[in-house]
Amino acid sequence: MTSTGQDQRIVALLDFIDQHPTRPIDRQSASWVVDQIGLSQGNLVDLTDCGQRFMVAVLFESMDNPAGAAELFVLGYRPSLGTPEQLAEAVAWAETKATRSSARCLEVSIPPVLMPLEPVLRTQGYQLMYRLLTMHLGHVAPPNDLAVELPSDLGWANLSEDNVRSAHDCYRRAFAGTSGTQVPDLELFRSTILKAEQTPRVLLSGDRVVAFSRVAWHDEQAGRGEIRAVARDPDFDRARLGQAALLEGLRTLEQLGATSACLEVASDNEPAVGLYEKFGFQTQEVAEVFRRTL
Ligand SMILES: CC(C)(COP(=O)(O)OP(=O)(O)OC[C@H]1O[C@@H](n2cnc3c(N)ncnc32)[C@H](O)[C@@H]1OP(=O)(O)O)[C@@H](O)C(=O)NCCC(=O)NCCS
């Protein structure tokens, strides 16, 4: 395929995801996932029924997560089309591919719009493991009593080539053992994060990144920003760095002009859910995450 043909296909896939989204994802991230992981690595599921597209999904097969899980990540889905047999075929394809990688199991998350997939998964022996919460906050200016006074040797900076390795280390160590997170290797992390439209912020202690904050637009027209990730190095557990990272994220969103915020978090990630609830985030939607051992 020519690069122009490829571009047109990506645009068509992204337009479909925009029109039939299954979860909060900004177009830039969707573009990166579809292009870099889906198309370039041959991990794209692009399903049509009588010429009409009804599902776009990407298989993440070699990420670092506690369950050794590959994830079938459905980005766009039009519920009125597609038969259970077609969905079952897509899952079977993902299983076959994941089996060839080092994955020990396959995870599929089902937001409400993807409910037709649930009986298909249950029939194939998938079990509900945890829930993925979409949480919202109706403002981005936190009350003063949540302000954090940082030690004088710590300071926020933009993520850059100079600190990306340490940022990856902080991110990887923070998210180890956390449900619902796929930690990319350094190369993948670097190529995504350095190109992010909103530059992530890192909290530095000298050269060492000790906390991380990343935001993006979720829906710019509606003024809704998204907290994509907050994390602190586990050496600094409960030292208010997570709270400082969330404050930094909200501050960045406020500077962008956002008036509300949303995020996704696994229901069993008690520290993060506790942090978000402390700031007033409320659950608006629940997706169920199913898993099957391969
Ligand atoms: C979530 C996370 C950022 C919290 O960071 P932290 O620096 O350890 O926590 P803080 O000291 O800032 O705590 C702030 C609030 O978070 C909540 N919290 C933090 N740890 C908690 C825990 N173990 N259990 C329940 N609530 C917790 C509390 O509400 C706490 O306020 P309090 O101390 O007044 O009760 C941290 O656990 C982390 O990096 N986890 C891995 C990455 C992750 O899951 N990120 C969120 C998803 S994007």
Side-chain angles (χ1 to χ4, degrees):
M1 189 185 278
T2 65
S3 64
T4 312
Q6 182 90 307
D7 289 349
Q8 280 170 354
R9 182 163 179 217
I10 291 174
V11 170
L13 290 165
L14 296 179
D15 285 348
F16 176 80
I17 294 165
D18 278 346
Q19 283 154 22
H20 306 281
T22 59
R23 61 183 72 236
I25 184 161
D26 60 286
R27 194 169 170 108
Q28 194 201 8
S29 305
S31 166
W32 182 82
V33 168
V34 164
D35 191 9
Q36 296 291 310
I37 298 181
L39 288 168
S40 69
Q41 298 182 19
N43 283 5
L44 185 80
V45 179
D46 180 10
L47 298 182
T48 53
D49 189 4
C50 299
Q52 282 201 289
R53 181 169 278 130
F54 68 92
M55 182 192 274
V56 174
V58 167
L59 177 69
F60 289 89
E61 58 180 350
S62 53
M63 298 285 185
D64 189 3
N65 61 58
E71 185 187 358
L72 184 62
F73 189 77
V74 183
L75 295 155
Y77 179 62
R78 180 158 33 181
S80 52
L81 298 174
T83 62
E85 290 73 26
Q86 287 167 315
L87 294 175
E89 269 176 41
V91 173
W93 172 88
E95 284 180 2
T96 307
K97 216 155 187 280
T99 306
R100 287 194 216 115
S101 72
S102 55
R104 297 195 296 275
C105 52
L106 181 65
E107 277 187 5
V108 189
S109 63
I110 311 268
V113 68
L114 267 166
M115 273 312 177
L117 197 49
E118 182 176 341
V120 173
L121 292 176
R122 288 201 186 274
T123 307
Q124 295 186 15
Y126 282 75
Q127 288 187 328
L128 178 63
M129 298 310 292
Y130 61 92
R131 293 182 165 81
L132 209 52
L133 313 179
T134 301
M135 302 183 90
H136 280 243
L137 183 68
H139 56 87
V140 289
N144 289 338
D145 62 352
L146 293 179
V148 174
E149 201 172 324
L150 290 169
S152 58
D153 60 324
L154 300 185
W156 286 102
N158 281 343
L159 186 138
S160 68
E161 189 60 62
D162 292 342
N163 55 43
V164 67
R165 183 177 286 273
S166 180
H168 179 256
D169 196 48
C170 170
Y171 189 90
R172 184 180 56 78
R173 283 163 28 80
F175 279 106
T178 306
S179 297
T181 317
Q182 302 282 357
V183 180
D185 62 22
L186 175 62
E187 199 184 322
L188 205 51
F189 182 82
R190 183 198 296 269
S191 63
T192 336
I193 221 82
L194 290 174
K195 279 192 234 142
E197 209 162 285
Q198 316 305 336
T199 307
R201 302 280 288 162
V202 290
L203 186 62
L204 288 170
S205 168
D207 289 345
R208 179 181 174 194
V209 172
V210 294
F212 178 94
S213 166
R214 183 178 176 202
V215 303
W217 275 115
H218 174 65
D219 182 343
E220 191 168 354
Q221 276 188 333
R224 190 177 313 121
E226 187 182 337
I227 301 288
R228 296 296 300 278
V230 294
R232 50 89 193 104
D233 188 296
D235 289 349
F236 295 81
D237 185 35
R238 279 323 264 270
R240 289 276 191 273
L241 297 195
Q243 186 161 326
L246 181 53
L247 285 164
E248 185 67 11
L250 291 171
R251 199 160 31 235
T252 313
L253 287 180
E254 195 174 15
Q255 281 164 4
L256 283 172
T259 51
S260 66
C262 63
L263 55 85
E264 268 191 352
V265 62
S267 56
D268 62 359
N269 186 348
E270 286 170 21
V273 173
L275 173 65
Y276 299 141
E277 284 179 343
K278 183 176 181 183
F279 276 65
F281 278 89
Q282 291 184 335
T283 301
Q284 294 239 321
E285 193 178 290
V286 179
E288 297 181 328
V289 181
F290 287 84
R291 184 185 295 164
R292 189 185 136 177
T293 304
L294 295 171

